[in-house]
């Protein structure tokens, strides 16, 4: 990461920021009050020294922005200073919103995004965030969100560009005005964003340079760097044959690239009585051509993204230790390439899954559910409390929810609610979809136990119902169909074109707060 945020945590005393003679300070405060009609106890001590530094330009800017501090709102002020330049942003949070325990962190994330955009225009900017009127719990979340937004906004995938943009970070200094120590929030934001960026890099890397073997190599590196906390077990093709992962092997057989299944285990240093065993499963199709049920050319152009679930899971594992997650977390990552050769699976073939159910493969492009079937079955021996899978599973989910929203399926209302809560906090959008039992008939095969497609209607639901057939009994399970948000063709407020790292921030919030 290029960003180097200099942390300077200020107390309420202004002296650390700028030494101002008392008389001048008081008279300035009076002037400011009169000038913009500030209510005495709402005039922040941060604004005065900054205003002095800019010869009153800040107060006139505040007036221009129509900054009216109100007693019913807690406000944060961000001041971005460059060379002879500064900009001011405000964020108002109503007291009611606070008392309900709800904080619109996305608003603060966007504030961070704004600061980066300004700072990019003005090298060596200083950013000051006034949180002097914000409580400790809120301040911790706010700082994390602001910095997260700032760091996420800066990312661009330029590995293959000859002329790389000079994207060296320009925020010279970050001032946080708060009576509380916020160092760890800054660190946590950086850790989280590093994980998101790992996932984005993996998704953005073309399939030629990211085969299952390459993914394995990178996983080894991630695990190696976290030696005390993470362990990796690799199941190669021979091992997969031995364990009879027939569904997964039916996909990889059409490619010359060997398949793998990775099992990464995170052992927390500290546990408490609420510690659970949680399994994360990520779809890792490094390229999805559709197989013999070949995709049309235009649907194939972005299919390097079909391992976004696997990338999100690996990214998440990377920072569990740094964030002090207290659950035992396991990652199961099936890795294949869905291609065509003389041995490729033919529509109508019947295979046997790891849990012994037989599957008629009517469409080789519905390959994600096949590799997940075996990965989910594999998780049985872990005797987990919770299993969550992430997969770019269906185009139908994009039709249903659009590009920005993930489809959430779960057999547990409480797990679904917890994930929805984390979604709100992380800004990674989720919408719960039904696991409609009466649709199960759509995936019954005429000649085997199951068939791998259920027709056009409700395509995302029948895919989820298919997965449910392989979920170990008794576990709370959630399936996230991330086909839409995993990869964006149009940049949004803070994510550039390509892989978004969707799921990393959501899962990390879930694992930290569950
Ligand atoms: N990887 C695709 C789903 C996908 C589509 C991901 C668009 C990202 C963007 C998946 O393997 C697939 O091809 N699904 C088929 C299923 C169908 C054959 C039942 C689909 O959605 O068309
Ligand atoms: Zn497919
Ligand atoms: Zn796919």
């Amino acid at each position: 990461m290029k960003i180097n945020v200099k942390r300077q945590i200020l107390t309420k005393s202004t002296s650390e920021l700028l030494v101002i003679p008392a008389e001048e300070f008081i008279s300035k405060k009076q002037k400011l009050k009169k000038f913009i009609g500030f209510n005495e106890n709402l005039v922040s001590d941060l604004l005065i020294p900054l205003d002095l530094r800019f010869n009153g330009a800040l107060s006139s800017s505040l007036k221009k922005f129509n900054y009216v501090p109100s007693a019913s709102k807690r406000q944060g002020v961000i001041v971005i200073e460059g060379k002879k330049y500064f900009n001011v942003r405000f964020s108002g949070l109503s007291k009611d919103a606070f008392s309900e325990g709800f904080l619109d962190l996305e608003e603060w994330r966007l504030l961070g995004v704004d600061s980066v955009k300004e700072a990019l225009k003005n090298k060596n900017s200083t950013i000051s965030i006034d949180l002097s009127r914000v409580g400790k719990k809120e301040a911790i979340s706010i700082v994390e969100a602001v910095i997260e937004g700032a760091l996420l906004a800066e990312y661009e995938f330029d590995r293959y560009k000859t002329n790389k943009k000079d994207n060296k970070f320009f925020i010279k200094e970050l001032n946080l005005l708060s009576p509380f120590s916020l160092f760890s929030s800054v660190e946590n934001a950086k850790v989280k964003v590093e994980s998101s960026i790992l996932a984005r890099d993996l998704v953005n890397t073309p399939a030629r340079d990211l085969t299952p073997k390459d993914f394995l190599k990178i996983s080894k590196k991630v695990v190696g760097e976290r030696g005390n906390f993470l362990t990796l077990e690799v199941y190669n093709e021979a091992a997969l044959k031995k364990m009879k992962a027939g569904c997964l092997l039916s996909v990889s057989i059409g490619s010359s690239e060997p398949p793998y299944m990775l099992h990464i285990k995170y052992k927390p240093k500290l546990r408490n009585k609420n510690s659970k065993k949680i399994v994360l499963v990520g779809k890792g199709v490094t390229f999805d051509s559709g197989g013999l049920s070949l995709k049309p050319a235009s649907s194939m152009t972005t299919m390097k993204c079909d391992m976004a679930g696997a990338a999100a899971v690996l990214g998440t594992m990377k920072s569990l230790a740094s964030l002090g997650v207290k659950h035992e977390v396991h990652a199961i990552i099936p890795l294949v390439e869905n291609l065509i050769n003389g041995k490729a699976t033919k529509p109508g073939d019947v295979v046997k899954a790891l849990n012994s159910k037989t599957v008629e493969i009517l469409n080789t492009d519905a390959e994600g559910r096949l590799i997940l079937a075996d990965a989910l079955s594999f998780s049985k021996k872990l005797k987990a409390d919770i299993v969550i899978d992430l997969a770019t599973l269906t185009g139908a989910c994009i039709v249903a929810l659009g590009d920005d929203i993930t489809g959430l399926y779960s057999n547990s209302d409480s797990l679904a609610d917890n994930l929805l809560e984390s979604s709100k906090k992380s800004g990674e959008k989720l919408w719960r979809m039904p696991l409609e039992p009466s649709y199960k008939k759509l995936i019954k095969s005429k000649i085997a136990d199951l068939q791998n497609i259920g027709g056009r209607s409700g395509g995302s639901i029948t895919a989820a119902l298919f997965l449910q057939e392989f979920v170990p009994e008794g576990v709370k399970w959630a399936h996230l169909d991330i086909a839409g948000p995993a990869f964006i063709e149009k940049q949004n407020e803070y994510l550039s074109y390509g892989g978004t790292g969707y799921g990393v921030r959501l899962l990390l919030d879930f694992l930290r707060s569950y």
Side-chain angles (χ1 to χ4, degrees):
M1 205 177 320
K2 289 159 258 162
I3 293 171
N4 184 22
V5 181
K6 183 179 162 212
R7 286 147 306 165
Q8 185 181 344
I9 297 188
L10 304 176
T11 64
K12 267 190 171 175
S13 134
T14 51
S15 60
E16 287 176 66
L17 190 64
L18 206 67
V19 185
I20 308 162
E23 319 81 72
E24 207 179 318
F25 187 83
I26 291 161
S27 83
K28 183 70 204 174
K29 197 160 180 163
Q30 293 303 328
K31 254 193 229 157
L32 260 176
K33 247 175 78 183
K34 235 173 86 193
F35 194 41
I36 0 181
F38 268 176
N39 173 329
E40 168 71 34
N41 51 25
L42 286 169
V43 176
S44 159
D45 286 354
L46 176 69
L47 298 182
I48 294 143
L50 287 176
D51 197 37
L52 280 168
R53 198 191 287 183
F54 294 113
N55 297 322
L58 177 58
S59 42
S60 49
S61 163
L62 286 172
K63 192 169 177 167
K64 201 178 89 201
F65 275 97
N66 253 337
Y67 179 57
V68 187
S70 98
S72 65
K73 292 200 167 184
R74 302 210 198 181
Q75 283 166 315
V77 179
I78 254 190
V79 179
I80 306 154
E81 315 160 45
K83 275 182 198 150
K84 294 193 193 146
Y85 170 92
F86 68 94
N87 198 354
V88 190
R89 304 282 149 135
F90 309 104
S91 182
L93 299 156
S94 79
K95 261 189 187 159
D96 290 350
F98 266 111
S99 59
E100 279 166 23
F102 176 72
L103 192 61
D104 190 353
L105 291 176
E106 187 68 357
E107 194 182 336
W108 289 97
R109 221 168 268 122
L110 289 169
L111 223 66
V113 174
D114 278 354
S115 2
V116 161
K117 288 184 181 158
E118 295 302 338
L120 283 171
K121 286 189 247 161
N122 300 276
K123 297 199 178 201
N124 301 319
S125 295
T126 295
I127 295 187
S128 306
I129 306 172
D130 174 10
L131 295 168
S132 56
R133 280 163 222 296
V134 176
K136 182 171 182 177
K137 215 175 122 223
E138 289 82 12
I140 285 173
S141 309
I142 286 171
V143 168
E144 212 175 293
V146 171
I147 294 175
E148 185 179 306
L151 298 179
L152 284 170
E154 201 238 359
Y155 174 87
E156 210 182 273
F157 184 68
D158 62 2
R159 177 169 162 187
Y160 300 92
K161 291 268 190 203
T162 309
N163 299 314
K164 301 192 199 302
K165 264 196 206 147
D166 178 20
N167 232 6
K168 294 241 164 48
F169 200 59
F170 306 130
I171 295 181
K172 196 180 69 185
E173 204 175 298
L174 175 74
N175 298 316
L176 303 173
L177 183 82
S178 172
F180 312 108
S181 167
L182 298 170
F183 278 109
S184 56
S185 304
V186 176
E187 266 332 296
N188 289 345
K190 283 168 95 175
V191 163
K192 258 200 290 182
V193 172
E194 264 180 47
S195 278
S196 282
I197 288 180
L198 168 64
R200 289 164 88 178
D201 279 343
L202 286 166
V203 171
N204 287 329
T205 304
R208 168 194 282 268
D209 292 334
L210 194 87
T211 61
K213 202 183 283 153
D214 294 313
F215 196 108
L216 165 64
K217 219 163 101 189
I218 292 164
S219 304
K220 276 185 180 159
K221 193 167 157 251
V222 170
V223 170
E225 287 164 1
R226 306 270 178 299
N228 294 331
F229 298 100
L230 297 181
T231 54
L232 168 67
E233 226 169 309
V234 183
Y235 297 86
N236 64 12
E237 192 166 15
L240 289 163
K241 278 183 182 157
K242 206 166 149 204
M243 69 168 84
K244 300 200 164 99
C247 281
L248 184 152
L249 291 164
S250 78
V251 181
S252 63
I253 195 168
S255 163
S256 334
E257 294 296 337
Y260 295 98
M261 182 135 76
L262 314 186
H263 175 191
I264 306 172
K265 180 177 175 185
Y266 164 72
K267 249 201 174 147
K269 196 155 82 184
L270 293 169
R271 290 177 201 248
N272 61 25
K273 60 179 194 318
N274 296 321
S275 289
K276 296 270 184 275
K277 193 188 264 192
I278 301 176
V279 176
L280 307 175
V281 180
K283 172 178 173 181
V285 177
T286 58
F287 187 76
D288 182 11
S289 72
L292 279 170
S293 314
L294 192 65
K295 282 184 184 297
S298 64
S299 307
M300 221 190 282
T301 53
T302 56
M303 278 305 131
K304 65 175 182 182
C305 82
D306 215 17
M307 32 56 72
V313 168
L314 182 64
T316 302
M317 298 305 283
K318 180 178 155 85
S319 49
L320 296 177
S322 311
L323 295 176
V325 168
K326 293 187 184 66
H327 302 292
E328 181 177 311
V329 185
H330 295 252
I332 306 294
I333 306 181
L335 294 164
V336 299
E337 198 181 51
N338 189 19
L339 242 59
I340 308 175
N341 61 22
K343 282 192 187 157
T345 293
K346 303 158 210 54
D349 282 354
V350 175
V351 295
K352 199 175 213 175
L354 207 155
N355 74 348
S356 294
K357 290 192 184 182
T358 55
V359 179
E360 184 184 13
I361 300 176
L362 292 178
N363 190 318
T364 60
D365 195 13
E367 85 298 338
R369 63 197 78 181
L370 294 173
I371 69 167
L372 290 173
D374 284 343
L376 288 166
S377 305
F378 178 88
S379 76
K380 184 177 172 185
K381 67 171 189 184
L382 298 174
K383 298 193 172 66
D385 300 295
I386 293 172
V387 174
I388 302 172
D389 75 75
L390 282 86
T392 45
L393 204 64
T394 66
C397 195
I398 309 179
V399 174
L401 297 176
D403 291 330
D404 297 342
I405 305 172
T406 284
L408 161 66
Y409 294 85
S410 184
N411 60 7
S412 155
D413 290 345
S414 66
L415 175 59
D417 287 346
N418 280 302
L419 285 165
L420 289 166
E421 184 60 33
S422 291
S423 163
K424 244 192 257 166
K425 286 197 273 165
S426 66
E428 296 192 318
K429 297 182 181 108
L430 268 187
W431 191 258
R432 189 161 180 195
M433 304 278 278
L435 278 167
E436 174 58 41
S438 68
Y439 289 178
K440 282 186 189 169
K441 59 179 178 290
L442 299 172
I443 50 168
K444 282 232 158 73
S445 159
K446 291 191 182 71
I447 64 164
D449 300 336
L450 295 163
Q451 59 185 40
N452 79 330
I453 51 169
R456 252 173 66 83
S457 306
S460 163
I461 302 175
T462 48
L465 288 170
F466 183 90
L467 296 184
Q468 195 174 19
E469 297 289 326
F470 302 89
V471 174
E473 228 156 275
V475 303
K476 290 183 178 180
W477 163 68
H479 156 57
L480 274 59
D481 192 333
I482 61 172
F487 192 94
I488 50 175
E489 305 237 30
K490 256 202 218 130
Q491 67 171 75
N492 68 24
E493 277 123 325
Y494 53 89
L495 298 173
S496 48
Y497 167 89
T500 59
Y502 182 98
V504 171
R505 293 182 294 123
L506 173 82
L507 287 175
L508 286 174
D509 185 88
F510 172 79
L511 294 168
R512 288 166 84 191
S513 49
Y514 188 78

